[in-house]
Amino acid sequence: MKKSIRFAKISAIGSYVPEKILTNDDLSKMIDTSDEWIQARTGIRERRIAADGQITSDLCVEAARAAIKKAGISAEDVDLILVGTITSDMPFPSTAVFVQSKLGLQNIPCFDYNVACSGTQYGIALANALLTSSDSYKNILLICGDKMTSVVDWNDRATCVLLGDGAGAAIFSATEKEEENSVIDVLLGADGKLWELLHVPAGGSSEPASVKTIEDGKHFFKMKGRDVFREAIRIMEGCAREILQRNGMTVADIDFVVLHQANLRIIEALQERLKIPDEKVCITVDKYGNTSGSSCLIAIDTFARSGRIRSGSKILSVGFGAGLTWGAAILKF
Ligand SMILES: CC(C)(COP(=O)(O)OP(=O)(O)OC[C@H]1O[C@@H](n2cnc3c(N)ncnc32)[C@H](O)[C@@H]1OP(=O)(O)O)[C@@H](O)C(=O)NCCC(=O)NCCS
């Protein structure tokens, strides 16, 4: 395998959320909840819901097209597709192969990875490693996409108010110019002992789908909300501190902090602990709820489109999700 000195440049980021909006007031007509409760506990005002028949690969393709267009390349220039998802179109094959064919591509390698809400950070690590470790790829398409409403129990008010559908994508392009390098550092971690905090019990090899698993609602997203809340703050704080410290940086060296968009209270707690001023924090959880692994890519794209994140901006992004998994990345645009 030939190897020249290469760096990974993020040429573009794109995102997609479905048109249909489900507000807190809409939810309060379906279950025993209220706009006041949801906003006070989560900061979420509304979320996006996929249209009938719109599946995870469709969300991913929309985000991919936006990133490809912004990068000024054509789909044919992409030579590897990575999809971070926990709501794949089918148990197998991967969602990435459906994305490949919907983009009109063939033969290029494609695979999924499953790390839930840390999808952006794990995806950055994967794309960066693949691009810089060989000369095989010029443009890697990273997509994180989930149709979380496909695993939502609309009768469970403790979880259904939190989630939304969406996808984010990024084009990682190989460059030999170190000054164009976008990935300053990535840190990843996981603790499988805590798997029970967030999971879908049935539909896998441990409990294949059956009439009984459906009757018992075991195909739905389950969460121990209070434990997740506590662990999210503890782990993301640790991650952020560690990656900043090992790069000799502080929050003052960072222009924008993009934390996993699960709950505004979690973001505010981290802001307080890490002393991050309001103007450095990107928030989209109010509009989109928790879109799983895509949430950080969607937030970066939203703030880039508003003109706040610009060329040269340094971003610290921290994610946390089912597994438990976590990750942090420092990027330069
Ligand atoms: C889910 C979460 C918002 C719940 O907030 P909380 O303050 O912990 O609330 P609790 O679960 O203790 O529930 C408190 C009460 O509110 C009720 N409640 C739960 N959801 C409700 C809703 N949507 N509307 C109204 N009441 C609700 C509970 O039934 C409970 O009532 P009770 O006291 O009569 O039993 C919070 O735990 C959380 O955000 N956890 C992290 C979730 C997350 O980030 N998940 C994704 C990680 S990637």
Side-chain angles (χ1 to χ4, degrees):
M1 188 163 53
K2 204 168 145 278
K3 166 89 177 87
S4 50
I5 297 171
R6 288 152 66 97
F7 299 95
K9 172 186 170 185
I10 300 179
S11 307
I13 293 205
S15 66
Y16 172 77
V17 288
E19 275 172 34
K20 188 176 171 192
I21 296 173
L22 187 71
T23 65
N24 293 345
D25 283 335
D26 294 333
L27 277 167
S28 69
K29 290 175 195 132
M30 296 158 55
I31 45 166
D32 181 14
T33 190
S34 65
D35 177 46
E36 197 189 358
W37 191 96
I38 301 171
Q39 284 215 44
R41 303 286 178 122
T42 71
I44 298 169
R45 288 189 285 117
E46 57 191 43
R47 71 285 295 138
R48 300 298 178 99
I49 306 292
D52 285 347
Q54 194 178 29
I55 59 177
T56 297
S57 60
D58 297 324
L59 308 176
C60 291
V61 165
E62 294 290 344
R65 288 208 173 105
I68 288 167
K69 189 170 170 201
K70 254 192 242 170
I73 60 171
S74 69
E76 288 67 32
D77 296 318
V78 169
D79 36 31
L80 184 139
I81 301 174
L82 290 171
V83 175
T85 187
I86 50 171
T87 53
S88 47
D89 288 2
M90 299 176 189
F92 69 88
S94 69
T95 300
V97 298
F98 292 112
V99 171
Q100 185 210 50
S101 70
K102 286 177 183 180
L103 287 173
L105 302 175
Q106 50 186 348
N107 299 328
I108 61 166
C110 302
F111 64 95
D112 288 4
Y113 62 98
N114 175 332
V115 296
C117 302
S118 315
T120 295
Q121 294 73 26
Y122 269 72
I124 290 167
L126 278 167
N128 184 51
L130 286 162
L131 209 55
T132 57
S133 62
S134 86
D135 287 350
S136 304
Y137 310 111
K138 287 195 176 67
N139 294 296
I140 292 181
L141 170 58
L142 163 69
I143 313 168
C144 295
D146 275 300
K147 182 176 174 178
M148 290 308 291
T149 57
S150 66
V151 290
V152 156
D153 179 354
W154 292 110
N155 292 314
D156 178 10
R157 66 178 183 172
T159 56
C160 75
V161 302
L162 305 174
L163 303 163
D165 300 329
I171 302 288
F172 286 75
S173 306
T175 174
E176 290 182 5
K177 298 182 188 154
E178 189 168 4
E179 65 275 18
E180 289 183 346
N181 177 39
S182 300
V183 184
I184 296 175
D185 194 13
V186 199
L187 176 160
L188 304 176
D191 184 354
K193 287 194 299 296
L194 298 175
W195 67 269
E196 227 173 335
L197 298 194
L198 293 151
H199 70 292
V200 173
S205 60
S206 82
E207 225 175 324
S210 66
V211 172
K212 176 93 172 75
T213 63
I214 302 284
E215 279 170 2
D216 293 346
K218 288 186 166 179
H219 53 297
F220 290 132
F221 174 95
K222 310 285 179 207
M223 183 182 75
K224 293 191 174 163
R226 282 193 179 181
D227 295 340
V228 171
F229 192 93
R230 191 188 57 243
E231 291 297 330
I233 294 170
R234 182 183 70 81
I235 289 173
M236 287 204 280
E237 181 186 0
C239 250
R241 287 193 189 284
E242 188 180 339
I243 198 166
L244 286 171
Q245 197 216 342
R246 78 184 190 187
N247 287 280
M249 298 169 106
T250 68
V251 168
D253 300 305
I254 298 291
D255 299 300
F256 294 99
V257 179
V258 183
L259 302 169
H260 172 45
Q261 305 287 307
N263 182 323
L264 190 60
R265 281 164 62 217
I266 295 177
I267 295 173
E268 285 171 351
L270 287 163
Q271 243 190 288
E272 200 182 312
R273 286 165 185 233
L274 295 163
K275 312 249 174 309
I276 310 167
D278 285 351
E279 63 274 14
K280 290 195 177 186
V281 178
C282 299
I283 308 271
T284 52
V285 68
D286 55 336
K287 288 194 300 229
Y288 304 137
N290 180 352
T291 61
S292 180
S294 64
S295 86
C296 290
L297 283 175
I298 292 175
I300 295 171
D301 186 42
T302 304
F303 280 79
R305 278 190 282 126
S306 74
R308 288 183 60 196
I309 295 174
R310 294 192 216 128
S311 176
S313 293
K314 280 208 188 81
I315 296 178
L316 166 65
S317 181
V318 188
F320 164 91
L324 296 179
T325 62
W326 57 85
I330 299 177
L331 306 173
K332 182 171 72 67
F333 275 73

mmCIF file of all heavy atoms in Angstrom, residues 240-271:
data_model
loop_
_atom_site.group_PDB
_atom_site.id
_atom_site.type_symbol
_atom_site.label_atom_id
_atom_site.label_comp_id
_atom_site.label_asym_id
_atom_site.label_seq_id
_atom_site.Cartn_x
_atom_site.Cartn_y
_atom_site.Cartn_z
ATOM 1 N N ALA A 240 -13.961 16.393 27.100
ATOM 2 C CA ALA A 240 -13.598 17.752 26.660
ATOM 3 C C ALA A 240 -12.304 18.185 27.342
ATOM 4 O O ALA A 240 -11.383 18.698 26.698
ATOM 5 C CB ALA A 240 -14.734 18.727 26.976
ATOM 6 N N ARG A 241 -12.233 17.933 28.643
ATOM 7 C CA ARG A 241 -11.019 18.342 29.380
ATOM 8 C C ARG A 241 -9.788 17.606 28.853
ATOM 9 O O ARG A 241 -8.729 18.196 28.655
ATOM 10 C CB ARG A 241 -11.179 18.058 30.881
ATOM 11 C CG ARG A 241 -12.132 19.002 31.578
ATOM 12 C CD ARG A 241 -12.012 18.878 33.091
ATOM 13 N NE ARG A 241 -13.062 19.618 33.757
ATOM 14 C CZ ARG A 241 -13.080 20.942 33.899
ATOM 15 N NH1 ARG A 241 -12.092 21.675 33.425
ATOM 16 N NH2 ARG A 241 -14.101 21.538 34.507
ATOM 17 N N GLU A 242 -9.956 16.287 28.618
ATOM 18 C CA GLU A 242 -8.798 15.483 28.202
ATOM 19 C C GLU A 242 -8.276 15.914 26.829
ATOM 20 O O GLU A 242 -7.066 16.081 26.637
ATOM 21 C CB GLU A 242 -9.189 14.001 28.181
ATOM 22 C CG GLU A 242 -7.985 13.108 27.938
ATOM 23 C CD GLU A 242 -8.350 11.623 27.925
ATOM 24 O OE1 GLU A 242 -9.407 11.243 28.465
ATOM 25 O OE2 GLU A 242 -7.555 10.854 27.352
ATOM 26 N N ILE A 243 -9.171 16.120 25.878
ATOM 27 C CA ILE A 243 -8.687 16.442 24.526
ATOM 28 C C ILE A 243 -8.068 17.847 24.501
ATOM 29 O O ILE A 243 -7.066 18.079 23.823
ATOM 30 C CB ILE A 243 -9.791 16.255 23.456
ATOM 31 C CG1 ILE A 243 -9.122 16.161 22.074
ATOM 32 C CG2 ILE A 243 -10.836 17.351 23.503
ATOM 33 C CD1 ILE A 243 -10.030 15.651 20.980
ATOM 34 N N LEU A 244 -8.645 18.761 25.264
ATOM 35 C CA LEU A 244 -8.059 20.115 25.305
ATOM 36 C C LEU A 244 -6.671 20.047 25.944
ATOM 37 O O LEU A 244 -5.697 20.570 25.406
ATOM 38 C CB LEU A 244 -8.955 21.068 26.101
ATOM 39 C CG LEU A 244 -10.233 21.526 25.409
ATOM 40 C CD1 LEU A 244 -11.125 22.286 26.382
ATOM 41 C CD2 LEU A 244 -9.934 22.396 24.181
ATOM 42 N N GLN A 245 -6.597 19.312 27.065
ATOM 43 C CA GLN A 245 -5.334 19.251 27.795
ATOM 44 C C GLN A 245 -4.231 18.604 26.965
ATOM 45 O O GLN A 245 -3.105 19.100 26.902
ATOM 46 C CB GLN A 245 -5.562 18.480 29.093
ATOM 47 C CG GLN A 245 -4.462 18.709 30.101
ATOM 48 C CD GLN A 245 -4.152 17.459 30.900
ATOM 49 O OE1 GLN A 245 -4.959 16.527 30.938
ATOM 50 N NE2 GLN A 245 -3.007 17.429 31.515
ATOM 51 N N ARG A 246 -4.550 17.504 26.278
ATOM 52 C CA ARG A 246 -3.471 16.822 25.548
ATOM 53 C C ARG A 246 -3.029 17.580 24.297
ATOM 54 O O ARG A 246 -2.029 17.247 23.691
ATOM 55 C CB ARG A 246 -3.833 15.368 25.260
ATOM 56 C CG ARG A 246 -4.771 15.111 24.119
ATOM 57 C CD ARG A 246 -5.071 13.609 24.066
ATOM 58 N NE ARG A 246 -5.770 13.258 22.853
ATOM 59 C CZ ARG A 246 -6.276 12.068 22.602
ATOM 60 N NH1 ARG A 246 -6.181 11.116 23.506
ATOM 61 N NH2 ARG A 246 -6.877 11.802 21.472
ATOM 62 N N ASN A 247 -3.802 18.617 23.934
ATOM 63 C CA ASN A 247 -3.389 19.475 22.816
ATOM 64 C C ASN A 247 -2.877 20.829 23.301
ATOM 65 O O ASN A 247 -2.702 21.761 22.503
ATOM 66 C CB ASN A 247 -4.554 19.658 21.837
ATOM 67 C CG ASN A 247 -4.798 18.389 21.041
ATOM 68 O OD1 ASN A 247 -4.092 18.121 20.075
ATOM 69 N ND2 ASN A 247 -5.743 17.579 21.482
ATOM 70 N N GLY A 248 -2.694 20.938 24.627
ATOM 71 C CA GLY A 248 -2.185 22.191 25.189
ATOM 72 C C GLY A 248 -3.124 23.355 24.943
ATOM 73 O O GLY A 248 -2.692 24.503 24.762
ATOM 74 N N MET A 249 -4.433 23.072 24.919
ATOM 75 C CA MET A 249 -5.414 24.121 24.621
ATOM 76 C C MET A 249 -6.353 24.322 25.809
ATOM 77 O O MET A 249 -6.470 23.451 26.680
ATOM 78 C CB MET A 249 -6.253 23.735 23.390
ATOM 79 C CG MET A 249 -5.452 23.580 22.116
ATOM 80 S SD MET A 249 -6.460 22.814 20.824
ATOM 81 C CE MET A 249 -6.767 24.185 19.797
ATOM 82 N N THR A 250 -7.057 25.470 25.782
ATOM 83 C CA THR A 250 -8.149 25.708 26.721
ATOM 84 C C THR A 250 -9.346 26.147 25.888
ATOM 85 O O THR A 250 -9.226 26.333 24.669
ATOM 86 C CB THR A 250 -7.818 26.830 27.732
ATOM 87 O OG1 THR A 250 -7.763 28.064 27.004
ATOM 88 C CG2 THR A 250 -6.506 26.583 28.455
ATOM 89 N N VAL A 251 -10.476 26.346 26.557
ATOM 90 C CA VAL A 251 -11.680 26.800 25.842
ATOM 91 C C VAL A 251 -11.403 28.122 25.109
ATOM 92 O O VAL A 251 -11.981 28.395 24.049
ATOM 93 C CB VAL A 251 -12.862 26.931 26.834
ATOM 94 C CG1 VAL A 251 -14.027 27.675 26.221
ATOM 95 C CG2 VAL A 251 -13.302 25.556 27.314
ATOM 96 N N ALA A 252 -10.467 28.909 25.640
ATOM 97 C CA ALA A 252 -10.145 30.204 25.005
ATOM 98 C C ALA A 252 -9.569 30.021 23.598
ATOM 99 O O ALA A 252 -9.683 30.905 22.746
ATOM 100 C CB ALA A 252 -9.153 30.969 25.875
ATOM 101 N N ASP A 253 -8.974 28.835 23.326
ATOM 102 C CA ASP A 253 -8.397 28.581 21.994
ATOM 103 C C ASP A 253 -9.434 28.083 20.992
ATOM 104 O O ASP A 253 -9.124 27.863 19.823
ATOM 105 C CB ASP A 253 -7.279 27.522 22.092
ATOM 106 C CG ASP A 253 -6.164 27.979 23.011
ATOM 107 O OD1 ASP A 253 -5.627 29.070 22.755
ATOM 108 O OD2 ASP A 253 -5.863 27.267 23.998
ATOM 109 N N ILE A 254 -10.650 27.845 21.470
ATOM 110 C CA ILE A 254 -11.701 27.256 20.634
ATOM 111 C C ILE A 254 -12.717 28.340 20.269
ATOM 112 O O ILE A 254 -13.115 29.134 21.121
ATOM 113 C CB ILE A 254 -12.414 26.119 21.433
ATOM 114 C CG1 ILE A 254 -11.436 24.998 21.786
ATOM 115 C CG2 ILE A 254 -13.638 25.587 20.706
ATOM 116 C CD1 ILE A 254 -10.934 24.163 20.628
ATOM 117 N N ASP A 255 -13.143 28.362 18.987
ATOM 118 C CA ASP A 255 -14.136 29.367 18.574
ATOM 119 C C ASP A 255 -15.573 28.909 18.847
ATOM 120 O O ASP A 255 -16.420 29.706 19.228
ATOM 121 C CB ASP A 255 -13.982 29.671 17.081
ATOM 122 C CG ASP A 255 -12.608 30.245 16.773
ATOM 123 O OD1 ASP A 255 -12.291 31.301 17.337
ATOM 124 O OD2 ASP A 255 -11.851 29.619 16.006
ATOM 125 N N PHE A 256 -15.831 27.590 18.584
ATOM 126 C CA PHE A 256 -17.192 27.076 18.784
ATOM 127 C C PHE A 256 -17.166 25.699 19.433
ATOM 128 O O PHE A 256 -16.328 24.871 19.099
ATOM 129 C CB PHE A 256 -17.939 26.973 17.446
ATOM 130 C CG PHE A 256 -18.189 28.307 16.838
ATOM 131 C CD1 PHE A 256 -17.352 28.777 15.840
ATOM 132 C CD2 PHE A 256 -19.219 29.121 17.287
ATOM 133 C CE1 PHE A 256 -17.552 30.033 15.298
ATOM 134 C CE2 PHE A 256 -19.417 30.373 16.762
ATOM 135 C CZ PHE A 256 -18.583 30.842 15.760
ATOM 136 N N VAL A 257 -18.087 25.493 20.354
ATOM 137 C CA VAL A 257 -18.207 24.194 21.008
ATOM 138 C C VAL A 257 -19.540 23.576 20.554
ATOM 139 O O VAL A 257 -20.600 24.183 20.704
ATOM 140 C CB VAL A 257 -18.172 24.333 22.547
ATOM 141 C CG1 VAL A 257 -18.315 22.968 23.209
ATOM 142 C CG2 VAL A 257 -16.862 24.999 22.981
ATOM 143 N N VAL A 258 -19.432 22.374 19.958
ATOM 144 C CA VAL A 258 -20.626 21.683 19.453
ATOM 145 C C VAL A 258 -20.773 20.384 20.233
ATOM 146 O O VAL A 258 -20.061 19.413 19.999
ATOM 147 C CB VAL A 258 -20.498 21.388 17.938
ATOM 148 C CG1 VAL A 258 -21.777 20.750 17.420
ATOM 149 C CG2 VAL A 258 -20.177 22.651 17.163
ATOM 150 N N LEU A 259 -21.703 20.410 21.186
ATOM 151 C CA LEU A 259 -21.938 19.238 22.037
ATOM 152 C C LEU A 259 -23.114 18.450 21.478
ATOM 153 O O LEU A 259 -23.986 19.023 20.806
ATOM 154 C CB LEU A 259 -22.263 19.705 23.463
ATOM 155 C CG LEU A 259 -21.176 20.567 24.119
ATOM 156 C CD1 LEU A 259 -21.700 21.207 25.395
ATOM 157 C CD2 LEU A 259 -19.930 19.737 24.409
ATOM 158 N N HIS A 260 -23.152 17.154 21.776
ATOM 159 C CA HIS A 260 -24.292 16.355 21.321
ATOM 160 C C HIS A 260 -25.589 17.034 21.764
ATOM 161 O O HIS A 260 -25.740 17.427 22.921
ATOM 162 C CB HIS A 260 -24.200 14.936 21.881
ATOM 163 C CG HIS A 260 -25.419 14.129 21.607
ATOM 164 N ND1 HIS A 260 -26.025 14.111 20.372
ATOM 165 C CD2 HIS A 260 -26.172 13.320 22.398
ATOM 166 C CE1 HIS A 260 -27.098 13.333 20.412
ATOM 167 N NE2 HIS A 260 -27.207 12.845 21.638
ATOM 168 N N GLN A 261 -26.514 17.155 20.814
ATOM 169 C CA GLN A 261 -27.755 17.890 21.056
ATOM 170 C C GLN A 261 -28.830 16.934 21.589
ATOM 171 O O GLN A 261 -29.696 16.473 20.830
ATOM 172 C CB GLN A 261 -28.226 18.558 19.765
ATOM 173 C CG GLN A 261 -27.177 19.457 19.119
ATOM 174 C CD GLN A 261 -26.963 20.748 19.882
ATOM 175 O OE1 GLN A 261 -27.914 21.471 20.155
ATOM 176 N NE2 GLN A 261 -25.718 21.044 20.221
ATOM 177 N N ALA A 262 -28.739 16.606 22.886
ATOM 178 C CA ALA A 262 -29.719 15.688 23.481
ATOM 179 C C ALA A 262 -30.700 16.447 24.361
ATOM 180 O O ALA A 262 -31.898 16.174 24.364
ATOM 181 C CB ALA A 262 -29.021 14.611 24.290
ATOM 182 N N ASN A 263 -30.169 17.414 25.086
ATOM 183 C CA ASN A 263 -30.972 18.092 26.100
ATOM 184 C C ASN A 263 -30.259 19.405 26.451
ATOM 185 O O ASN A 263 -29.065 19.400 26.765
ATOM 186 C CB ASN A 263 -31.051 17.166 27.335
ATOM 187 C CG ASN A 263 -31.909 17.746 28.431
ATOM 188 O OD1 ASN A 263 -31.918 18.956 28.661
ATOM 189 N ND2 ASN A 263 -32.622 16.878 29.114
ATOM 190 N N LEU A 264 -30.985 20.499 26.396
ATOM 191 C CA LEU A 264 -30.383 21.813 26.678
ATOM 192 C C LEU A 264 -29.809 21.872 28.094
ATOM 193 O O LEU A 264 -28.790 22.523 28.331
ATOM 194 C CB LEU A 264 -31.435 22.915 26.482
ATOM 195 C CG LEU A 264 -30.927 24.345 26.513
ATOM 196 C CD1 LEU A 264 -29.895 24.599 25.420
ATOM 197 C CD2 LEU A 264 -32.091 25.327 26.373
ATOM 198 N N ARG A 265 -30.440 21.151 29.024
ATOM 199 C CA ARG A 265 -29.934 21.169 30.419
ATOM 200 C C ARG A 265 -28.568 20.499 30.515
ATOM 201 O O ARG A 265 -27.734 20.896 31.326
ATOM 202 C CB ARG A 265 -30.933 20.487 31.354
ATOM 203 C CG ARG A 265 -32.113 21.400 31.719
ATOM 204 C CD ARG A 265 -33.249 20.589 32.292
ATOM 205 N NE ARG A 265 -32.886 19.903 33.510
ATOM 206 C CZ ARG A 265 -33.314 18.674 33.849
ATOM 207 N NH1 ARG A 265 -34.104 17.995 33.040
ATOM 208 N NH2 ARG A 265 -32.956 18.131 34.981
ATOM 209 N N ILE A 266 -28.345 19.469 29.712
ATOM 210 C CA ILE A 266 -27.021 18.818 29.699
ATOM 211 C C ILE A 266 -25.994 19.799 29.120
ATOM 212 O O ILE A 266 -24.902 19.974 29.667
ATOM 213 C CB ILE A 266 -27.058 17.505 28.866
ATOM 214 C CG1 ILE A 266 -27.972 16.476 29.527
ATOM 215 C CG2 ILE A 266 -25.642 16.950 28.663
ATOM 216 C CD1 ILE A 266 -28.146 15.163 28.757
ATOM 217 N N ILE A 267 -26.374 20.471 28.048
ATOM 218 C CA ILE A 267 -25.452 21.434 27.412
ATOM 219 C C ILE A 267 -25.137 22.564 28.392
ATOM 220 O O ILE A 267 -23.974 22.950 28.563
ATOM 221 C CB ILE A 267 -26.066 21.971 26.092
ATOM 222 C CG1 ILE A 267 -26.201 20.828 25.076
ATOM 223 C CG2 ILE A 267 -25.224 23.128 25.525
ATOM 224 C CD1 ILE A 267 -26.940 21.186 23.796
ATOM 225 N N GLU A 268 -26.163 23.066 29.082
ATOM 226 C CA GLU A 268 -25.940 24.180 30.024
ATOM 227 C C GLU A 268 -25.066 23.747 31.208
ATOM 228 O O GLU A 268 -24.218 24.512 31.675
ATOM 229 C CB GLU A 268 -27.288 24.718 30.515
ATOM 230 C CG GLU A 268 -27.973 25.553 29.450
ATOM 231 C CD GLU A 268 -29.417 25.924 29.801
ATOM 232 O OE1 GLU A 268 -29.976 25.400 30.797
ATOM 233 O OE2 GLU A 268 -29.989 26.742 29.055
ATOM 234 N N ALA A 269 -25.260 22.502 31.669
ATOM 235 C CA ALA A 269 -24.434 22.014 32.784
ATOM 236 C C ALA A 269 -22.969 21.943 32.351
ATOM 237 O O ALA A 269 -22.056 22.307 33.108
ATOM 238 C CB ALA A 269 -24.925 20.636 33.231
ATOM 239 N N LEU A 270 -22.736 21.498 31.124
ATOM 240 C CA LEU A 270 -21.353 21.406 30.627
ATOM 241 C C LEU A 270 -20.755 22.796 30.411
ATOM 242 O O LEU A 270 -19.578 23.025 30.695
ATOM 243 C CB LEU A 270 -21.320 20.595 29.327
ATOM 244 C CG LEU A 270 -21.530 19.093 29.563
ATOM 245 C CD1 LEU A 270 -21.912 18.383 28.276
ATOM 246 C CD2 LEU A 270 -20.264 18.470 30.152
ATOM 247 N N GLN A 271 -21.601 23.698 29.922
ATOM 248 C CA GLN A 271 -21.146 25.082 29.735
ATOM 249 C C GLN A 271 -20.642 25.659 31.046
ATOM 250 O O GLN A 271 -19.609 26.306 31.112
ATOM 251 C CB GLN A 271 -22.340 25.914 29.264
ATOM 252 C CG GLN A 271 -22.178 26.514 27.892
ATOM 253 C CD GLN A 271 -23.280 27.496 27.628
ATOM 254 O OE1 GLN A 271 -24.419 27.080 27.437
ATOM 255 N NE2 GLN A 271 -22.968 28.774 27.590
#
